[in-house]
Amino acid sequence: MSRIAGFNLGKAIRATLGSLEKRVIGALMLIVLCTVSLQFISQDRAFKLHSESQALSDAAGDVEHADQLVRAVSQFRLATRLYLSPGDSRDAVRAGDELTDAAMQIGTQVTALRLSGVDFYDLPGGDVAFEDMDRHIVRIIEAGRGATAPFAVRDLVESRNAQMAKLAGEIHTQAAAARDEATMKISRSTRNWEMLVTVAGLVTVAVVSVILLDLMRNIMPALRRMHAALRRLADGDLDFEIEKFELRELQALSGSLETFRRNALAVKNLAFTDPSTGMPNRRAFVEQVASRLAREVGPGAQGCVVMLADVDRFKHVNDDYGHAAGDKLVKLIGERMVDELGEGAMVARVGGDEFAIFAPLAEGRSAAALGSKLVSAVRAPFDLGNFTVVVTVSIGLAKCACDQVDCDVNVLLNRADLAVYAAKRNGRNCATCFTSELEEERELDRALERDLAWAFAEGQLRMVYQPIHPVANADGEVEALVRWRHPRLGDISPARFIPAAERSGLMVELGGWIIERALADLTRWPALSMSINLSPLQLQQDGFVGFLMDCCRKNGIDPHRLTLEVTESLSIERNTRALLTLELLRNSGFRIALDDFGTGYSSLCMMKSFRFDRLKLDRSLISDLGKDPTSQAVFDAAVTMALSIGAEVVAEGISEENLVEPIRSAGCTHLQGFLYSRPIEADSVEEYYLGKAALKSKVA
Ligand code: C2E
Ligand code: MG
Ligand code: MG
């Protein structure tokens, strides 16, 4: 604020006029006051000047009259002298005429002076000098009639004329003095007027300047700052505090805006935060990573990686320890990953047990190594207060190269998602990088889900049978395995299309078709028994047991001839309905086998929850026999355990001769694998078993 005359005018104005409204009104009032005062002063001065100039003009007129009076008196005196001492009669006549003219002139001027208010009675001789002019002239005329006027009359006349001349001179002097005074008055008034106008003008200029300065230095900047704050808010920027303004109106507005900003920020934080862990959510991740990709990636920049980490079997933690513990665990996992990744990385919770991770890749640092580092970091136990939990994560990685300019966060997330599925397929507890093949596989999966519906109607599905050989006797058994010959894609593995059927909701229908087909085929081989693979979804299906029994009845098959294979993905220990179905099935005479034993982590739990009739040791355990001591140990333990509960043990996937001996000596009760037979067409089964004698010698 401007400092005028040594005091802070701005401060004074701000103190008294803290409100914009009052400031504007005050400023306008000041301007009006200045203008009115100027107007008033000008008018007053103008009137005064007018009357003074009138007085001057009167005084000037008086001087003029006085001037003429002096001249008339002097002419009168001259004419008197001439008249009283004429040279000849002509002179006397002329002097008489001049005398008369002068007397008339004197009378006229005296009258004019008197009329204009000149008071010369107070002057010496003023009361007599111009009185009785007629008698004075008569006296002169009479005195002039004699040849020579008597001296006494002459003296009298002369004295009177001298008196008149003196008075006229006095009147002239007085009029001139009055005129000079009027002139001085006018010039004084003019000077005063000038000064007043100057002062009033200066005051007006000062007031306007103060107002302008206030406007420019306080009001406009404050309005501009308020506008900037509003603009930031309108642009969605909430990360700043709205300043406090001195002007009352702006103060009120800024208070409301600050409340609005805080509320909007809270809503935004809510929308960008996972409520149970306080971590950023998917939306926050997508927005922040998108802007970082736009800022940080491009030629000359460092690369980065987007990862999706999925906690393996997180559902078990929730089921076993409760959801609060699950949330706590998720938070701890997130924090551990943040600690592990350090500055510059971002970890968000994007699903119940899923994290999205963004990390810049320092030069020479590989994305895969970073993923593996996270996998091992998570593997260390988590302290949940009353208990300690050990979990693993599967991580999918999608790299964005440093020279890549078209990195899109959603594309990277999709890729990481594909990679995480691949990591799950690879056995979990590992990090897998995205490759274009994964994308093709996803495409294929989608195509399979779409085309599977037609496969039944078009007769593209068929059953094949792989023999299972008991070690102790020659009983014949086959495992029913479904096949799909896709018209365009050729033969598709059931390991591929069974999950597709499960995803697309076709599994129950497909499972039903498989059972009907397999049982229909089994009627052709009365001496054989059969294993049928079941999807977990079939065990959840309403009326499944009834359906199976009906099929058996229809085909005249005793349930004892059937073994139903389930896999650990069923998680029966947490699935009472499936467990109940299994119990019902076994009570109905079916035998139940646990397939692919040794691939997952819950096989042992399943063994505890349900007494299986048979264990099928997975191919991966078998193929590593003799090579990997751990596989050998797991294999031996599994066989021992199965035998101890009276279950049969099937070693599946035997493809090499040298494996047979260790498997047999470990105590496996059944053998299955390409070494004996690949899955064969239904029409070839009979033929196969006709040559069984030859096979027997092989098994022996
Ligand atoms: P699975 O039930 O463990 O079936 C054994 C798989 O191992 C079969 O693959 C079989 O062809 C293969 N196999 C057997 N011996 C050997 C060997 O010596 N070496 C090698 N490399 N492989 C061997 P397939 O037919 O591709 O089936 C894969 C999986 O798909 C099955 O594993 C089963 O889980 C599922 N599946 C197959 N058919 C059906 C079905 O009809 N219903 C259901 N629900 N699942 C089925
Ligand atoms: Mg099987
Ligand atoms: Mg198997």
Side-chain angles (χ1 to χ4, degrees), residues 115-159:
L115 279 175
S116 85
V118 178
D119 184 12
F120 41 80
Y121 286 98
D122 288 342
L123 296 174
D127 51 342
V128 288
F130 295 117
E131 293 301 316
D132 269 344
M133 276 300 285
D134 297 346
R135 274 195 30 216
H136 181 51
I137 291 168
V138 168
R139 192 179 294 138
I140 294 169
I141 290 169
E142 280 174 359
R145 269 195 198 127
T148 309
F151 284 111
V153 176
R154 283 178 181 246
D155 285 348
L156 202 65
V157 168
E158 189 51 40
S159 153

Side-chain angles (χ1 to χ4, degrees), residues 5-39:
F7 84 102
N8 192 329
L9 187 58
K11 206 169 171 187
I13 288 176
R14 271 203 299 279
T16 47
L17 302 173
S19 100
L20 184 60
E21 183 192 7
K22 284 186 180 168
R23 251 189 224 201
V24 170
I25 291 173
L28 287 175
M29 276 170 64
L30 266 176
I31 291 173
V32 169
L33 194 71
C34 286
T35 316
V36 168
S37 328
L38 201 60
Q39 175 78 7

Side-chain angles (χ1 to χ4, degrees), residues 283-296:
R283 200 170 153 196
F285 184 83
V286 169
E287 280 197 14
Q288 286 187 34
V289 172
S291 70
R292 284 189 65 175
L293 285 175
R295 264 198 331 265
E296 294 173 19

Side-chain angles (χ1 to χ4, degrees), residues 652-674:
E652 60 176 351
I654 306 172
S655 51
E656 290 167 33
E657 185 75 55
N658 60 347
L659 294 173
V660 178
E661 190 38 46
I663 291 169
R664 281 177 55 129
S665 54
C668 285
T669 56
H670 292 72
L671 309 173
Q672 184 186 11
F674 289 174

Side-chain angles (χ1 to χ4, degrees), residues 466 479 482-483 494 514 533 595-596 619 652-654 673-674 679:
Q466 186 179 28
E479 178 178 3
V482 66
R483 292 290 177 264
I514 288 168
N533 292 288
D595 202 356
D596 303 336
R619 196 167 72 231
E652 60 176 351
I654 306 172
F674 289 174

